[in-house]
């Protein structure tokens, strides 16, 4: 039986990183095109800030468990070194699959095998989106000064990775410390003044938060998020895009890790 002739791949359809046919192509803001997996690997090693506060422009219903860290994490472009992000180019993806059906299928099989190998190695990077904020309303029927009815919340696209959320309120509340072990991660109270709610978000083993300050080999299961309650209108909320990774514990490590302090989230009206 005669072998199927190899498909000739045009130069513009080759990834500049892996030098193979582009698969799940993403386009950077500086207009360079790479495989999603190549951009993910590059962003994982070159991102200047793995945690990016931003104005909220999505609803919880927009969250996807298939969020790809490389598409949303800022990194220096591997081609021109410009600080950028990348977005899926679905039009090009469809065109490549139609133009090179055999090669694109081979690339799909290769990518699936690669992802399985990375996931099994304990070094796979996954993306997570976190919403933090508070709802608010004025309780005009209150008989004392506690007229602000508020609900602090923390929601994320991967709640299955969260072990617990340790919440610290103002010392005037009883109890001032709470541990939330299952979603929804919310605290509802009445009060008269604003203050900063501190939340330590703890990942399940063997996951670790990826930040600029921690070693790739050291598990860091705890990060700290601060949110100052907003009593403007119906409340405010902010968004964080983060990365997590499976980390194999060092048998000589005592397992304790210092929380990583994240900056206050930028707020936007709900």
């Amino acid at each position: 039986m005669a072998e199927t002739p190899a498909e000739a791949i045009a130069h513009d359809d080759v990834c500049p990183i892996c030098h193979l046919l582009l698969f799940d192509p993403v386009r950077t803001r500086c207009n360079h095109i790479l495989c999603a997996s190549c951009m993910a690997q590059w962003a994982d090693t070159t991102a200047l800030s793995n945690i990016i506060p931003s104005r909220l422009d999505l609803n919880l219903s927009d969250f996807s468990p298939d969020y790809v860290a490389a598409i949303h994490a800022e990194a220096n472009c591997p081609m021109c070194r410009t600080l950028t992000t990348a977005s899926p180019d679905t039009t090009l993806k469809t065109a490549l699959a139609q133009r090179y059906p055999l090669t694109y299928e081979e690339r799909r099989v290769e990518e699936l095998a690669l992802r399985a190998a990375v996931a099994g190695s304990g070094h796979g990077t996954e993306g997570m989106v976190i919403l933090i904020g508070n709802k608010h309303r004025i309780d005009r029927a209150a008989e004392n000064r506690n007229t602000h009815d508020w609900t602090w919340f923390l929601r994320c696209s991967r709640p299955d990775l969260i072990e617990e959320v340790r919440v610290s309120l103002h010392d005037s509340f009883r109890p001032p410390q709470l541990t939330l072990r299952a979603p929804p991660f919310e605290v509802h109270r009445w009060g008269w003044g604003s203050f900063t709610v501190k939340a330590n978000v703890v990942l399940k083993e063997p996951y670790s938060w990826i930040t600029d300050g921690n070693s790739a080999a050291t598990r860091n299961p705890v990060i700290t998020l601060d949110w100052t309650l907003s009593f403007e209108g119906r409340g405010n909320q902010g968004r964080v895009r983060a990365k997590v990774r499976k980390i194999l514990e060092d048998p000589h490590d005592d397992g304790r890790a210092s929380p990583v302090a994240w900056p206050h989230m930028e707020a936007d009206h709900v």
Side-chain angles (χ1 to χ4, degrees):
M1 182 177 178
E3 294 185 1
T4 303
E7 295 170 326
I9 311 300
H11 179 268
D12 289 345
D13 296 334
V14 174
C15 174
I17 301 299
C18 66
H19 303 292
L20 299 173
L21 175 66
L22 287 161
F23 182 80
D24 282 347
V26 296
R27 186 183 298 271
T28 66
R29 288 199 307 254
C30 45
N31 207 33
H32 291 107
I33 303 174
L34 307 87
C35 299
S37 58
C38 292
M39 186 63 191
Q41 182 177 7
W42 184 266
D44 187 29
T45 58
T46 65
L48 300 181
S49 175
N50 292 311
I51 303 160
I52 307 169
S54 63
R55 293 175 61 87
L56 178 66
D57 59 3
L58 51 76
N59 297 315
L60 292 177
S61 59
D62 296 321
F63 284 165
S64 169
D66 298 322
Y67 160 66
V68 178
I71 295 176
H72 302 287
E74 284 190 330
N76 289 328
C77 173
M79 305 307 297
C80 66
R81 300 301 190 270
T82 301
L83 187 63
T84 188
T85 57
S87 301
D89 192 328
T90 55
T91 300
L92 178 58
K93 176 181 178 179
T94 300
L96 292 172
Q98 294 175 347
R99 195 177 302 153
Y100 313 105
L102 299 178
T103 307
Y104 202 83
E105 176 60 20
E106 291 176 356
R107 293 285 288 116
R108 186 187 70 82
V109 173
E110 292 170 355
E111 286 287 331
L112 289 176
L114 177 61
R115 292 173 188 175
V118 170
S121 69
H123 298 288
T125 298
E126 300 182 44
M128 184 185 297
V129 182
I130 299 174
L131 277 185
I132 185 170
N134 70 275
K135 303 174 186 176
H136 169 260
R137 74 177 184 89
I138 295 292
D139 185 357
R140 303 190 184 281
E143 298 180 355
N144 51 33
R145 294 192 303 164
N146 297 328
T147 59
H148 295 288
D149 179 352
W150 55 266
T151 300
W152 172 90
F153 62 82
L154 184 145
R155 300 166 186 167
C156 66
S157 58
R158 294 299 307 275
D160 55 303
L161 301 186
I162 304 299
E163 180 70 28
E164 61 187 25
V165 178
R166 304 166 188 163
V167 182
S168 296
L169 306 176
H170 190 273
D171 289 341
S172 60
F173 287 89
R174 294 292 181 269
Q177 278 84 37
L178 302 166
T179 299
L180 311 177
R181 294 189 170 88
F185 302 114
E186 296 183 351
V187 177
H188 178 211
R189 294 289 187 273
W190 283 266
W192 60 270
S194 177
F195 63 93
T196 298
V197 179
K198 184 181 295 293
N200 285 339
V201 186
V202 184
L203 290 172
K204 294 180 179 178
E205 293 186 1
Y207 286 93
S208 173
W209 298 104
I210 299 177
T211 66
D212 290 332
N214 71 308
S215 166
T218 302
R219 181 168 180 259
N220 190 57
V222 184
I223 52 91
T224 299
L225 287 174
D226 291 337
W227 177 260
T228 300
L229 294 175
S230 172
F231 293 160
E232 298 179 5
R234 295 189 298 116
N236 290 337
Q237 56 188 358
R239 182 184 63 189
V240 176
R241 298 190 185 278
K243 293 180 184 178
V244 299
R245 170 186 287 167
K246 290 182 180 179
I247 299 291
L248 299 179
E249 290 283 5
D250 184 339
H252 302 294
D253 188 6
D254 62 8
R256 292 177 294 182
S258 300
V260 176
W262 286 7
H264 277 60
M265 303 301 99
E266 293 183 3
D268 193 18
H269 291 292
V270 175

